[in-house]
Amino acid sequence: MRHGGLFVAASKRIGQAILTALAASVLVWALLPLAPGDVAERVLLARGMQDLTTAEIDAAREQLGLNDPLVIQFLNWLGGVFRGDLGQSFTSQAPVMQEIMERLPATLMLLGLALVVSILFSLALALIAAAYRDRWPDQAIRLYTQIGAALPTFVFALLALTFVVVGFQMGRVLAEPSWSAALIPAFIIGLDRAASWTQLLRAGLLEAMASGYAEVARARGASERRILLRHALPNALLPFLTAIGVSVGALIGGAPLIEAIFTWPGLGAYLLEALTARNYPVIQAYVLIAALSYVTAALLVDLVALVLDPRLRGQTG
């Protein structure tokens, strides 16, 4: 029964994730037909054609399938997504998937390193803050979390670029996709993400330290450090993991500005170019990647939570 309950709960979470991904795909696809202006005309202008005739625009509409009903257009687009076909770039006329795959490794390197930095940083700071509650280490950490939560990521990036990269000649302004070049921008992203995660984990640790089982452990002679690490931390991890899962989309969404500031050759710079040129297939592809990354991360966190906390297996939401 225990494994059966886990299977049923996991199946529900997977079904919810599939429905969420389908809903997100509808919204992503709608970026193109709902965009202002004639799509066929924008495509031809992006190819460098001028003084367009009605016949040329009509031919382009037919070629792009824009004369089909909207439902057919969506199903054709969705079928292309399943085949790995995200359309052609308006400007380069190259397959969007090909251009994405050329830039994806650099973005994965940057965001993967940033995620590791933010998790380790928030874990360490939250444990220190909980261990020294209301003393100067806790007060300093709370000051950092308040500043970090209030300021956008690009402010930290500009400060790092001005004082660290340019002032102290550490890192590179024209970055190459290497681990050493990724350290500073990844640290900036991680520092920003860790601020809110530290606040959440610290609150969970303090709540667990004041719980009944913590009092029982103290009565049995357990030290505060043991209570913190063996009792409080495991119980505070689930909300922390959930926060990480729901922040993945924000992590990807905030990457373009950081990549632009540090001239990082990843998907972020590619998106900014597409936004300037109104290159909607590229914009659709990036938003779709961000949405699917969020759904996948949230699903993985849900599944881990089901394994760690049997009480969640009876919940249907």
Side-chain angles (χ1 to χ4, degrees), residues 168-207:
F168 294 100
Q169 298 295 308
M170 296 174 61
R172 299 177 183 178
V173 178
L174 299 175
E176 299 176 356
S178 63
W179 291 108
S180 59
L183 285 175
I184 292 179
F187 181 79
I188 294 302
I189 298 174
L191 192 69
D192 177 72
R193 288 289 92 195
S196 57
W197 295 355
T198 300
Q199 287 179 330
L200 178 65
L201 185 56
R202 174 188 177 275
L205 290 172
L206 293 179
E207 182 180 354

PDB file of all heavy atoms in Angstrom, residues 168-207:
ATOM      1  N   PHE A 168      39.734  45.507 -10.752  1.00  0.00           N
ATOM      2  CA  PHE A 168      40.778  44.606 -10.258  1.00  0.00           C
ATOM      3  C   PHE A 168      41.314  43.656 -11.329  1.00  0.00           C
ATOM      4  O   PHE A 168      42.132  42.782 -11.039  1.00  0.00           O
ATOM      5  CB  PHE A 168      40.243  43.785  -9.076  1.00  0.00           C
ATOM      6  CG  PHE A 168      39.923  44.606  -7.865  1.00  0.00           C
ATOM      7  CD1 PHE A 168      38.612  44.968  -7.580  1.00  0.00           C
ATOM      8  CD2 PHE A 168      40.936  45.046  -7.016  1.00  0.00           C
ATOM      9  CE1 PHE A 168      38.312  45.736  -6.467  1.00  0.00           C
ATOM     10  CE2 PHE A 168      40.640  45.818  -5.898  1.00  0.00           C
ATOM     11  CZ  PHE A 168      39.326  46.166  -5.619  1.00  0.00           C
ATOM     12  N   GLN A 169      40.843  43.841 -12.559  1.00  0.00           N
ATOM     13  CA  GLN A 169      41.313  43.015 -13.686  1.00  0.00           C
ATOM     14  C   GLN A 169      41.134  41.523 -13.427  1.00  0.00           C
ATOM     15  O   GLN A 169      41.986  40.707 -13.778  1.00  0.00           O
ATOM     16  CB  GLN A 169      42.790  43.322 -13.980  1.00  0.00           C
ATOM     17  CG  GLN A 169      43.056  44.760 -14.396  1.00  0.00           C
ATOM     18  CD  GLN A 169      42.394  45.114 -15.725  1.00  0.00           C
ATOM     19  OE1 GLN A 169      42.571  44.425 -16.710  1.00  0.00           O
ATOM     20  NE2 GLN A 169      41.621  46.194 -15.716  1.00  0.00           N
ATOM     21  N   MET A 170      40.022  41.164 -12.801  1.00  0.00           N
ATOM     22  CA  MET A 170      39.697  39.757 -12.570  1.00  0.00           C
ATOM     23  C   MET A 170      38.560  39.371 -13.511  1.00  0.00           C
ATOM     24  O   MET A 170      37.537  40.039 -13.562  1.00  0.00           O
ATOM     25  CB  MET A 170      39.276  39.532 -11.118  1.00  0.00           C
ATOM     26  CG  MET A 170      40.375  39.813 -10.117  1.00  0.00           C
ATOM     27  SD  MET A 170      39.759  39.694  -8.407  1.00  0.00           S
ATOM     28  CE  MET A 170      39.220  37.972  -8.355  1.00  0.00           C
ATOM     29  N   GLY A 171      38.735  38.278 -14.231  1.00  0.00           N
ATOM     30  CA  GLY A 171      37.736  37.865 -15.201  1.00  0.00           C
ATOM     31  C   GLY A 171      37.929  38.587 -16.525  1.00  0.00           C
ATOM     32  O   GLY A 171      38.925  39.281 -16.752  1.00  0.00           O
ATOM     33  N   ARG A 172      36.949  38.429 -17.407  1.00  0.00           N
ATOM     34  CA  ARG A 172      37.040  38.993 -18.743  1.00  0.00           C
ATOM     35  C   ARG A 172      35.754  39.713 -19.103  1.00  0.00           C
ATOM     36  O   ARG A 172      34.669  39.279 -18.738  1.00  0.00           O
ATOM     37  CB  ARG A 172      37.292  37.884 -19.780  1.00  0.00           C
ATOM     38  CG  ARG A 172      38.598  37.120 -19.551  1.00  0.00           C
ATOM     39  CD  ARG A 172      38.731  35.996 -20.561  1.00  0.00           C
ATOM     40  NE  ARG A 172      39.943  35.213 -20.327  1.00  0.00           N
ATOM     41  CZ  ARG A 172      40.286  34.156 -21.037  1.00  0.00           C
ATOM     42  NH1 ARG A 172      39.493  33.731 -22.021  1.00  0.00           N
ATOM     43  NH2 ARG A 172      41.405  33.501 -20.779  1.00  0.00           N
ATOM     44  N   VAL A 173      35.917  40.836 -19.834  1.00  0.00           N
ATOM     45  CA  VAL A 173      34.754  41.547 -20.337  1.00  0.00           C
ATOM     46  C   VAL A 173      34.182  40.825 -21.554  1.00  0.00           C
ATOM     47  O   VAL A 173      32.984  40.669 -21.708  1.00  0.00           O
ATOM     48  CB  VAL A 173      35.120  43.008 -20.685  1.00  0.00           C
ATOM     49  CG1 VAL A 173      33.910  43.730 -21.269  1.00  0.00           C
ATOM     50  CG2 VAL A 173      35.625  43.727 -19.447  1.00  0.00           C
ATOM     51  N   LEU A 174      35.065  40.359 -22.426  1.00  0.00           N
ATOM     52  CA  LEU A 174      34.653  39.564 -23.582  1.00  0.00           C
ATOM     53  C   LEU A 174      34.857  38.103 -23.212  1.00  0.00           C
ATOM     54  O   LEU A 174      35.925  37.529 -23.431  1.00  0.00           O
ATOM     55  CB  LEU A 174      35.466  39.945 -24.823  1.00  0.00           C
ATOM     56  CG  LEU A 174      35.323  41.403 -25.277  1.00  0.00           C
ATOM     57  CD1 LEU A 174      36.275  41.706 -26.431  1.00  0.00           C
ATOM     58  CD2 LEU A 174      33.894  41.699 -25.688  1.00  0.00           C
ATOM     59  N   ALA A 175      33.834  37.510 -22.627  1.00  0.00           N
ATOM     60  CA  ALA A 175      33.978  36.183 -22.040  1.00  0.00           C
ATOM     61  C   ALA A 175      33.961  35.098 -23.103  1.00  0.00           C
ATOM     62  O   ALA A 175      33.319  35.220 -24.145  1.00  0.00           O
ATOM     63  CB  ALA A 175      32.861  35.943 -21.031  1.00  0.00           C
ATOM     64  N   GLU A 176      34.695  34.028 -22.830  1.00  0.00           N
ATOM     65  CA  GLU A 176      34.670  32.823 -23.642  1.00  0.00           C
ATOM     66  C   GLU A 176      33.949  31.741 -22.834  1.00  0.00           C
ATOM     67  O   GLU A 176      33.963  31.760 -21.603  1.00  0.00           O
ATOM     68  CB  GLU A 176      36.095  32.375 -23.967  1.00  0.00           C
ATOM     69  CG  GLU A 176      36.883  33.404 -24.768  1.00  0.00           C
ATOM     70  CD  GLU A 176      38.313  32.965 -24.982  1.00  0.00           C
ATOM     71  OE1 GLU A 176      38.680  31.907 -24.444  1.00  0.00           O
ATOM     72  OE2 GLU A 176      39.050  33.677 -25.674  1.00  0.00           O
ATOM     73  N   PRO A 177      33.314  30.790 -23.522  1.00  0.00           N
ATOM     74  CA  PRO A 177      32.589  29.737 -22.790  1.00  0.00           C
ATOM     75  C   PRO A 177      33.520  28.734 -22.126  1.00  0.00           C
ATOM     76  O   PRO A 177      33.724  27.626 -22.614  1.00  0.00           O
ATOM     77  CB  PRO A 177      31.741  29.081 -23.886  1.00  0.00           C
ATOM     78  CG  PRO A 177      32.482  29.342 -25.143  1.00  0.00           C
ATOM     79  CD  PRO A 177      33.153  30.680 -24.972  1.00  0.00           C
ATOM     80  N   SER A 178      34.117  29.146 -21.000  1.00  0.00           N
ATOM     81  CA  SER A 178      35.005  28.268 -20.239  1.00  0.00           C
ATOM     82  C   SER A 178      34.618  28.367 -18.771  1.00  0.00           C
ATOM     83  O   SER A 178      33.993  29.342 -18.336  1.00  0.00           O
ATOM     84  CB  SER A 178      36.467  28.672 -20.428  1.00  0.00           C
ATOM     85  OG  SER A 178      36.698  29.974 -19.916  1.00  0.00           O
ATOM     86  N   TRP A 179      34.990  27.359 -17.981  1.00  0.00           N
ATOM     87  CA  TRP A 179      34.638  27.344 -16.567  1.00  0.00           C
ATOM     88  C   TRP A 179      35.234  28.527 -15.824  1.00  0.00           C
ATOM     89  O   TRP A 179      34.590  29.107 -14.947  1.00  0.00           O
ATOM     90  CB  TRP A 179      35.085  26.033 -15.932  1.00  0.00           C
ATOM     91  CG  TRP A 179      34.303  24.850 -16.405  1.00  0.00           C
ATOM     92  CD1 TRP A 179      34.723  23.869 -17.235  1.00  0.00           C
ATOM     93  CD2 TRP A 179      32.934  24.541 -16.087  1.00  0.00           C
ATOM     94  NE1 TRP A 179      33.714  22.966 -17.468  1.00  0.00           N
ATOM     95  CE2 TRP A 179      32.607  23.338 -16.766  1.00  0.00           C
ATOM     96  CE3 TRP A 179      31.964  25.146 -15.294  1.00  0.00           C
ATOM     97  CZ2 TRP A 179      31.355  22.754 -16.682  1.00  0.00           C
ATOM     98  CZ3 TRP A 179      30.708  24.555 -15.210  1.00  0.00           C
ATOM     99  CH2 TRP A 179      30.411  23.370 -15.890  1.00  0.00           C
ATOM    100  N   SER A 180      36.467  28.896 -16.163  1.00  0.00           N
ATOM    101  CA  SER A 180      37.110  30.019 -15.471  1.00  0.00           C
ATOM    102  C   SER A 180      36.400  31.332 -15.779  1.00  0.00           C
ATOM    103  O   SER A 180      36.208  32.178 -14.898  1.00  0.00           O
ATOM    104  CB  SER A 180      38.585  30.105 -15.866  1.00  0.00           C
ATOM    105  OG  SER A 180      38.720  30.286 -17.277  1.00  0.00           O
ATOM    106  N   ALA A 181      35.985  31.508 -17.040  1.00  0.00           N
ATOM    107  CA  ALA A 181      35.286  32.742 -17.409  1.00  0.00           C
ATOM    108  C   ALA A 181      33.877  32.786 -16.832  1.00  0.00           C
ATOM    109  O   ALA A 181      33.300  33.860 -16.652  1.00  0.00           O
ATOM    110  CB  ALA A 181      35.236  32.879 -18.931  1.00  0.00           C
ATOM    111  N   ALA A 182      33.315  31.620 -16.535  1.00  0.00           N
ATOM    112  CA  ALA A 182      31.947  31.568 -16.013  1.00  0.00           C
ATOM    113  C   ALA A 182      31.869  31.864 -14.526  1.00  0.00           C
ATOM    114  O   ALA A 182      30.767  32.096 -14.005  1.00  0.00           O
ATOM    115  CB  ALA A 182      31.335  30.193 -16.293  1.00  0.00           C
ATOM    116  N   LEU A 183      32.987  31.861 -13.821  1.00  0.00           N
ATOM    117  CA  LEU A 183      32.962  31.970 -12.365  1.00  0.00           C
ATOM    118  C   LEU A 183      32.289  33.255 -11.877  1.00  0.00           C
ATOM    119  O   LEU A 183      31.407  33.210 -11.015  1.00  0.00           O
ATOM    120  CB  LEU A 183      34.382  31.870 -11.803  1.00  0.00           C
ATOM    121  CG  LEU A 183      35.000  30.467 -11.782  1.00  0.00           C
ATOM    122  CD1 LEU A 183      36.447  30.530 -11.309  1.00  0.00           C
ATOM    123  CD2 LEU A 183      34.176  29.539 -10.886  1.00  0.00           C
ATOM    124  N   ILE A 184      32.711  34.395 -12.402  1.00  0.00           N
ATOM    125  CA  ILE A 184      32.186  35.666 -11.891  1.00  0.00           C
ATOM    126  C   ILE A 184      30.706  35.839 -12.228  1.00  0.00           C
ATOM    127  O   ILE A 184      29.896  36.122 -11.331  1.00  0.00           O
ATOM    128  CB  ILE A 184      33.032  36.847 -12.398  1.00  0.00           C
ATOM    129  CG1 ILE A 184      34.429  36.791 -11.770  1.00  0.00           C
ATOM    130  CG2 ILE A 184      32.355  38.181 -12.069  1.00  0.00           C
ATOM    131  CD1 ILE A 184      35.352  37.895 -12.212  1.00  0.00           C
ATOM    132  N   PRO A 185      30.267  35.685 -13.503  1.00  0.00           N
ATOM    133  CA  PRO A 185      28.818  35.821 -13.752  1.00  0.00           C
ATOM    134  C   PRO A 185      27.989  34.776 -13.019  1.00  0.00           C
ATOM    135  O   PRO A 185      26.877  35.074 -12.552  1.00  0.00           O
ATOM    136  CB  PRO A 185      28.698  35.660 -15.274  1.00  0.00           C
ATOM    137  CG  PRO A 185      29.967  35.048 -15.717  1.00  0.00           C
ATOM    138  CD  PRO A 185      31.014  35.496 -14.756  1.00  0.00           C
ATOM    139  N   ALA A 186      28.512  33.550 -12.878  1.00  0.00           N
ATOM    140  CA  ALA A 186      27.770  32.522 -12.138  1.00  0.00           C
ATOM    141  C   ALA A 186      27.673  32.893 -10.670  1.00  0.00           C
ATOM    142  O   ALA A 186      26.626  32.674 -10.033  1.00  0.00           O
ATOM    143  CB  ALA A 186      28.452  31.165 -12.302  1.00  0.00           C
ATOM    144  N   PHE A 187      28.735  33.449 -10.103  1.00  0.00           N
ATOM    145  CA  PHE A 187      28.710  33.875  -8.709  1.00  0.00           C
ATOM    146  C   PHE A 187      27.688  34.992  -8.506  1.00  0.00           C
ATOM    147  O   PHE A 187      26.975  35.014  -7.494  1.00  0.00           O
ATOM    148  CB  PHE A 187      30.099  34.338  -8.277  1.00  0.00           C
ATOM    149  CG  PHE A 187      30.168  34.777  -6.844  1.00  0.00           C
ATOM    150  CD1 PHE A 187      30.245  33.841  -5.821  1.00  0.00           C
ATOM    151  CD2 PHE A 187      30.143  36.118  -6.507  1.00  0.00           C
ATOM    152  CE1 PHE A 187      30.297  34.237  -4.498  1.00  0.00           C
ATOM    153  CE2 PHE A 187      30.199  36.528  -5.195  1.00  0.00           C
ATOM    154  CZ  PHE A 187      30.279  35.582  -4.176  1.00  0.00           C
ATOM    155  N   ILE A 188      27.576  35.905  -9.472  1.00  0.00           N
ATOM    156  CA  ILE A 188      26.619  37.004  -9.366  1.00  0.00           C
ATOM    157  C   ILE A 188      25.196  36.467  -9.372  1.00  0.00           C
ATOM    158  O   ILE A 188      24.352  36.842  -8.546  1.00  0.00           O
ATOM    159  CB  ILE A 188      26.818  38.001 -10.520  1.00  0.00           C
ATOM    160  CG1 ILE A 188      28.179  38.691 -10.395  1.00  0.00           C
ATOM    161  CG2 ILE A 188      25.699  39.034 -10.531  1.00  0.00           C
ATOM    162  CD1 ILE A 188      28.379  39.437  -9.102  1.00  0.00           C
ATOM    163  N   ILE A 189      24.895  35.555 -10.304  1.00  0.00           N
ATOM    164  CA  ILE A 189      23.557  34.965 -10.354  1.00  0.00           C
ATOM    165  C   ILE A 189      23.278  34.180  -9.073  1.00  0.00           C
ATOM    166  O   ILE A 189      22.199  34.261  -8.487  1.00  0.00           O
ATOM    167  CB  ILE A 189      23.421  34.055 -11.586  1.00  0.00           C
ATOM    168  CG1 ILE A 189      23.608  34.860 -12.875  1.00  0.00           C
ATOM    169  CG2 ILE A 189      22.048  33.378 -11.598  1.00  0.00           C
ATOM    170  CD1 ILE A 189      23.638  34.009 -14.128  1.00  0.00           C
ATOM    171  N   GLY A 190      24.268  33.395  -8.636  1.00  0.00           N
ATOM    172  CA  GLY A 190      24.096  32.601  -7.425  1.00  0.00           C
ATOM    173  C   GLY A 190      23.911  33.455  -6.195  1.00  0.00           C
ATOM    174  O   GLY A 190      23.102  33.132  -5.313  1.00  0.00           O
ATOM    175  N   LEU A 191      24.634  34.559  -6.111  1.00  0.00           N
ATOM    176  CA  LEU A 191      24.510  35.475  -4.975  1.00  0.00           C
ATOM    177  C   LEU A 191      23.110  36.060  -4.902  1.00  0.00           C
ATOM    178  O   LEU A 191      22.517  36.186  -3.821  1.00  0.00           O
ATOM    179  CB  LEU A 191      25.542  36.600  -5.108  1.00  0.00           C
ATOM    180  CG  LEU A 191      25.767  37.504  -3.902  1.00  0.00           C
ATOM    181  CD1 LEU A 191      26.447  36.737  -2.779  1.00  0.00           C
ATOM    182  CD2 LEU A 191      26.609  38.710  -4.305  1.00  0.00           C
ATOM    183  N   ASP A 192      22.550  36.388  -6.048  1.00  0.00           N
ATOM    184  CA  ASP A 192      21.203  36.951  -6.081  1.00  0.00           C
ATOM    185  C   ASP A 192      20.165  35.908  -5.691  1.00  0.00           C
ATOM    186  O   ASP A 192      19.272  36.164  -4.879  1.00  0.00           O
ATOM    187  CB  ASP A 192      20.909  37.484  -7.479  1.00  0.00           C
ATOM    188  CG  ASP A 192      19.496  38.009  -7.615  1.00  0.00           C
ATOM    189  OD1 ASP A 192      19.210  39.077  -7.055  1.00  0.00           O
ATOM    190  OD2 ASP A 192      18.676  37.340  -8.278  1.00  0.00           O
ATOM    191  N   ARG A 193      20.247  34.699  -6.251  1.00  0.00           N
ATOM    192  CA  ARG A 193      19.279  33.639  -5.942  1.00  0.00           C
ATOM    193  C   ARG A 193      19.378  33.207  -4.488  1.00  0.00           C
ATOM    194  O   ARG A 193      18.374  32.902  -3.843  1.00  0.00           O
ATOM    195  CB  ARG A 193      19.535  32.435  -6.839  1.00  0.00           C
ATOM    196  CG  ARG A 193      19.160  32.576  -8.295  1.00  0.00           C
ATOM    197  CD  ARG A 193      17.651  32.593  -8.487  1.00  0.00           C
ATOM    198  NE  ARG A 193      17.115  33.952  -8.479  1.00  0.00           N
ATOM    199  CZ  ARG A 193      15.854  34.248  -8.341  1.00  0.00           C
ATOM    200  NH1 ARG A 193      14.972  33.297  -8.128  1.00  0.00           N
ATOM    201  NH2 ARG A 193      15.440  35.493  -8.368  1.00  0.00           N
ATOM    202  N   ALA A 194      20.594  33.168  -3.970  1.00  0.00           N
ATOM    203  CA  ALA A 194      20.803  32.670  -2.611  1.00  0.00           C
ATOM    204  C   ALA A 194      20.168  33.554  -1.558  1.00  0.00           C
ATOM    205  O   ALA A 194      19.874  33.091  -0.453  1.00  0.00           O
ATOM    206  CB  ALA A 194      22.300  32.522  -2.329  1.00  0.00           C
ATOM    207  N   ALA A 195      19.934  34.819  -1.865  1.00  0.00           N
ATOM    208  CA  ALA A 195      19.380  35.736  -0.865  1.00  0.00           C
ATOM    209  C   ALA A 195      18.002  35.268  -0.392  1.00  0.00           C
ATOM    210  O   ALA A 195      17.751  35.122   0.806  1.00  0.00           O
ATOM    211  CB  ALA A 195      19.299  37.146  -1.444  1.00  0.00           C
ATOM    212  N   SER A 196      17.097  35.039  -1.337  1.00  0.00           N
ATOM    213  CA  SER A 196      15.746  34.607  -0.944  1.00  0.00           C
ATOM    214  C   SER A 196      15.746  33.178  -0.417  1.00  0.00           C
ATOM    215  O   SER A 196      14.985  32.854   0.509  1.00  0.00           O
ATOM    216  CB  SER A 196      14.792  34.736  -2.138  1.00  0.00           C
ATOM    217  OG  SER A 196      15.262  33.979  -3.236  1.00  0.00           O
ATOM    218  N   TRP A 197      16.582  32.315  -0.986  1.00  0.00           N
ATOM    219  CA  TRP A 197      16.640  30.929  -0.508  1.00  0.00           C
ATOM    220  C   TRP A 197      17.170  30.866   0.923  1.00  0.00           C
ATOM    221  O   TRP A 197      16.726  30.039   1.717  1.00  0.00           O
ATOM    222  CB  TRP A 197      17.521  30.088  -1.426  1.00  0.00           C
ATOM    223  CG  TRP A 197      16.979  29.944  -2.813  1.00  0.00           C
ATOM    224  CD1 TRP A 197      15.776  30.394  -3.280  1.00  0.00           C
ATOM    225  CD2 TRP A 197      17.614  29.303  -3.920  1.00  0.00           C
ATOM    226  NE1 TRP A 197      15.626  30.082  -4.602  1.00  0.00           N
ATOM    227  CE2 TRP A 197      16.731  29.420  -5.031  1.00  0.00           C
ATOM    228  CE3 TRP A 197      18.832  28.665  -4.101  1.00  0.00           C
ATOM    229  CZ2 TRP A 197      17.045  28.896  -6.287  1.00  0.00           C
ATOM    230  CZ3 TRP A 197      19.142  28.144  -5.346  1.00  0.00           C
ATOM    231  CH2 TRP A 197      18.260  28.254  -6.419  1.00  0.00           C
ATOM    232  N   THR A 198      18.126  31.722   1.258  1.00  0.00           N
ATOM    233  CA  THR A 198      18.666  31.755   2.611  1.00  0.00           C
ATOM    234  C   THR A 198      17.592  32.169   3.608  1.00  0.00           C
ATOM    235  O   THR A 198      17.477  31.595   4.700  1.00  0.00           O
ATOM    236  CB  THR A 198      19.864  32.723   2.692  1.00  0.00           C
ATOM    237  OG1 THR A 198      20.884  32.287   1.784  1.00  0.00           O
ATOM    238  CG2 THR A 198      20.434  32.767   4.100  1.00  0.00           C
ATOM    239  N   GLN A 199      16.795  33.180   3.244  1.00  0.00           N
ATOM    240  CA  GLN A 199      15.713  33.614   4.123  1.00  0.00           C
ATOM    241  C   GLN A 199      14.741  32.469   4.405  1.00  0.00           C
ATOM    242  O   GLN A 199      14.346  32.235   5.552  1.00  0.00           O
ATOM    243  CB  GLN A 199      14.951  34.772   3.468  1.00  0.00           C
ATOM    244  CG  GLN A 199      15.697  36.098   3.448  1.00  0.00           C
ATOM    245  CD  GLN A 199      14.897  37.188   2.765  1.00  0.00           C
ATOM    246  OE1 GLN A 199      14.109  36.912   1.863  1.00  0.00           O
ATOM    247  NE2 GLN A 199      15.099  38.423   3.172  1.00  0.00           N
ATOM    248  N   LEU A 200      14.372  31.754   3.355  1.00  0.00           N
ATOM    249  CA  LEU A 200      13.405  30.667   3.506  1.00  0.00           C
ATOM    250  C   LEU A 200      13.966  29.538   4.363  1.00  0.00           C
ATOM    251  O   LEU A 200      13.302  29.043   5.280  1.00  0.00           O
ATOM    252  CB  LEU A 200      13.013  30.135   2.125  1.00  0.00           C
ATOM    253  CG  LEU A 200      12.037  28.964   2.110  1.00  0.00           C
ATOM    254  CD1 LEU A 200      10.690  29.389   2.677  1.00  0.00           C
ATOM    255  CD2 LEU A 200      11.865  28.427   0.697  1.00  0.00           C
ATOM    256  N   LEU A 201      15.206  29.124   4.090  1.00  0.00           N
ATOM    257  CA  LEU A 201      15.790  28.017   4.835  1.00  0.00           C
ATOM    258  C   LEU A 201      16.058  28.409   6.278  1.00  0.00           C
ATOM    259  O   LEU A 201      15.861  27.593   7.193  1.00  0.00           O
ATOM    260  CB  LEU A 201      17.080  27.558   4.151  1.00  0.00           C
ATOM    261  CG  LEU A 201      17.756  26.324   4.749  1.00  0.00           C
ATOM    262  CD1 LEU A 201      16.806  25.143   4.798  1.00  0.00           C
ATOM    263  CD2 LEU A 201      19.010  25.955   3.966  1.00  0.00           C
ATOM    264  N   ARG A 202      16.495  29.627   6.519  1.00  0.00           N
ATOM    265  CA  ARG A 202      16.722  30.083   7.890  1.00  0.00           C
ATOM    266  C   ARG A 202      15.429  30.024   8.688  1.00  0.00           C
ATOM    267  O   ARG A 202      15.408  29.549   9.844  1.00  0.00           O
ATOM    268  CB  ARG A 202      17.265  31.510   7.889  1.00  0.00           C
ATOM    269  CG  ARG A 202      17.388  32.129   9.281  1.00  0.00           C
ATOM    270  CD  ARG A 202      17.736  33.608   9.200  1.00  0.00           C
ATOM    271  NE  ARG A 202      17.776  34.212  10.522  1.00  0.00           N
ATOM    272  CZ  ARG A 202      16.723  34.692  11.170  1.00  0.00           C
ATOM    273  NH1 ARG A 202      15.511  34.626  10.608  1.00  0.00           N
ATOM    274  NH2 ARG A 202      16.864  35.233  12.370  1.00  0.00           N
ATOM    275  N   ALA A 203      14.327  30.498   8.105  1.00  0.00           N
ATOM    276  CA  ALA A 203      13.043  30.461   8.800  1.00  0.00           C
ATOM    277  C   ALA A 203      12.624  29.025   9.101  1.00  0.00           C
ATOM    278  O   ALA A 203      12.132  28.723  10.196  1.00  0.00           O
ATOM    279  CB  ALA A 203      11.972  31.153   7.954  1.00  0.00           C
ATOM    280  N   GLY A 204      12.838  28.112   8.161  1.00  0.00           N
ATOM    281  CA  GLY A 204      12.501  26.714   8.386  1.00  0.00           C
ATOM    282  C   GLY A 204      13.354  26.081   9.467  1.00  0.00           C
ATOM    283  O   GLY A 204      12.860  25.295  10.288  1.00  0.00           O
ATOM    284  N   LEU A 205      14.628  26.424   9.494  1.00  0.00           N
ATOM    285  CA  LEU A 205      15.526  25.881  10.516  1.00  0.00           C
ATOM    286  C   LEU A 205      15.139  26.374  11.904  1.00  0.00           C
ATOM    287  O   LEU A 205      15.117  25.599  12.873  1.00  0.00           O
ATOM    288  CB  LEU A 205      16.972  26.273  10.199  1.00  0.00           C
ATOM    289  CG  LEU A 205      17.610  25.592   8.987  1.00  0.00           C
ATOM    290  CD1 LEU A 205      18.963  26.227   8.675  1.00  0.00           C
ATOM    291  CD2 LEU A 205      17.779  24.101   9.228  1.00  0.00           C
ATOM    292  N   LEU A 206      14.837  27.655  12.025  1.00  0.00           N
ATOM    293  CA  LEU A 206      14.459  28.201  13.333  1.00  0.00           C
ATOM    294  C   LEU A 206      13.144  27.606  13.820  1.00  0.00           C
ATOM    295  O   LEU A 206      12.981  27.335  15.018  1.00  0.00           O
ATOM    296  CB  LEU A 206      14.354  29.731  13.245  1.00  0.00           C
ATOM    297  CG  LEU A 206      15.671  30.476  13.008  1.00  0.00           C
ATOM    298  CD1 LEU A 206      15.422  31.976  12.915  1.00  0.00           C
ATOM    299  CD2 LEU A 206      16.684  30.162  14.092  1.00  0.00           C
ATOM    300  N   GLU A 207      12.215  27.393  12.901  1.00  0.00           N
ATOM    301  CA  GLU A 207      10.951  26.770  13.287  1.00  0.00           C
ATOM    302  C   GLU A 207      11.185  25.338  13.763  1.00  0.00           C
ATOM    303  O   GLU A 207      10.595  24.901  14.764  1.00  0.00           O
ATOM    304  CB  GLU A 207       9.986  26.780  12.102  1.00  0.00           C
ATOM    305  CG  GLU A 207       8.627  26.185  12.414  1.00  0.00           C
ATOM    306  CD  GLU A 207       7.693  26.202  11.227  1.00  0.00           C
ATOM    307  OE1 GLU A 207       8.073  26.782  10.180  1.00  0.00           O
ATOM    308  OE2 GLU A 207       6.583  25.645  11.335  1.00  0.00           O
TER     309      GLU A 207
END
